[in-house]
Amino acid sequence: MFGNSPYVRSNQDGIHEKLETVVRKHLSHDYLRPIPAHTQQAFDVADKTVRERGQCIILDSGCGAGDSTIFLAKRFPKHLIIGVDKSLVRLNKASRKQAPGNMMLLRADQFDFWRLLERAGWPIDAHYIFYPNPWPKKQHLGRRIHGHPAFGALVKLAEYIEVRSNWSLYVEEFALALKIAGRTAVVRDFKPATPVSLFEKKFYASGQSLYRVFSHTSETFLWT
Ligand SMILES: C[S@@+](CC[C@H](N)C(=O)[O-])C[C@H]1O[C@@H](n2cnc3c(N)ncnc32)[C@H](O)[C@@H]1O
């Protein structure tokens, strides 16, 4: 039900003690898992569109039911917004919504997709990840985005990166991982004027605190 989302509960009470070791290992090793055919196909479709349109890109990874992709497409009409999610159920919900012409939704595993993007050299101005699954159990560090082997690809993709979560430790860990990778990282709590996604809406309606971490490579480039 809306307005009673459970808080994140974790057996971890501070930054994971293995975070730095794990991030450094992933930054210094290529992630060599073969790219599955379905992700390669989704990428090929998008690559053709990106090259034909010649627009700068904004990525919305783990876009879920597509509300944030629509929000970004309206806010940045000159960009092509690409929403990626692995869930067909959520993407089907998204496909029933009225979508601006400057966005596309793809079914793909985001971790493999980022590796393809790293090689493709798309002009990605910004990369948003709204409310990734928190994987709060301590033993699941490797499933969090900053603990995943594809983190090394992620940090190279876009000038601006923003991650939002209702778990403060998640954004703190993400910020530390960004700094280990040599990027800036600023953490803030915030109250959304207009919720950008379904999860933001439901966490906010439940009275939960919301957190964001953002990173930009240029001193003059700030989106929000
Ligand atoms: C908690 S939901 C948040 C959805 C949306 N961003 C929002 O804020 O409403 C996390 C989303 O990430 C997607 N996801 C998780 N792991 C993924 C992966 N490896 N590749 C692509 N999508 C993934 C899930 O399918 C889900 O839609």
Side-chain angles (χ1 to χ4, degrees), residues 70-83:
I70 294 171
F71 181 99
L72 292 167
K74 289 181 179 164
R75 177 153 177 206
F76 301 108
K78 293 194 177 141
H79 282 77
L80 177 63
I81 319 299
I82 299 187

Side-chain angles (χ1 to χ4, degrees), residues 60-65 68 84-87 90 108-111 130-133 197-200:
D60 180 10
S61 290
C63 64
S68 50
V84 178
D85 204 284
K86 68 176 183 183
S87 161
R90 291 206 164 127
D109 181 283
Q110 63 194 11
F111 299 119
F130 298 115
Y131 306 92
N133 294 334
S197 71
L198 279 184
F199 276 74
E200 185 158 284

Side-chain angles (χ1 to χ4, degrees), residues 6 11 14 86 100 120 129-130 136 144 159 172 178 188 199 221 223:
N11 57 349
K86 68 176 183 183
I129 308 172
F130 298 115
R144 299 174 201 159
E159 180 154 355
E172 282 163 27
L178 285 168
R188 295 266 186 272
F199 276 74
F221 193 93
W223 283 75

Side-chain angles (χ1 to χ4, degrees), residues 129-131 162-167 171 187-197 199-201 203-204 207-214 224:
I129 308 172
F130 298 115
Y131 306 92
E162 177 166 338
V163 173
R164 295 187 186 181
S165 179
N166 61 334
W167 188 28
V171 296
V187 171
R188 295 266 186 272
D189 56 356
F190 72 102
K191 293 185 195 313
T194 309
V196 76
S197 71
F199 276 74
E200 185 158 284
K201 194 172 176 184
F203 292 145
Y204 191 51
Q208 296 194 23
S209 299
L210 303 179
Y211 307 92
R212 50 194 284 257
V213 50
F214 57 90
T224 44

Side-chain angles (χ1 to χ4, degrees), residues 172-193:
E172 282 163 27
E173 285 190 351
F174 198 92
L176 182 56
L178 285 168
K179 287 179 182 165
I180 293 167
R183 293 195 55 128
T184 64
V186 177
V187 171
R188 295 266 186 272
D189 56 356
F190 72 102
K191 293 185 195 313

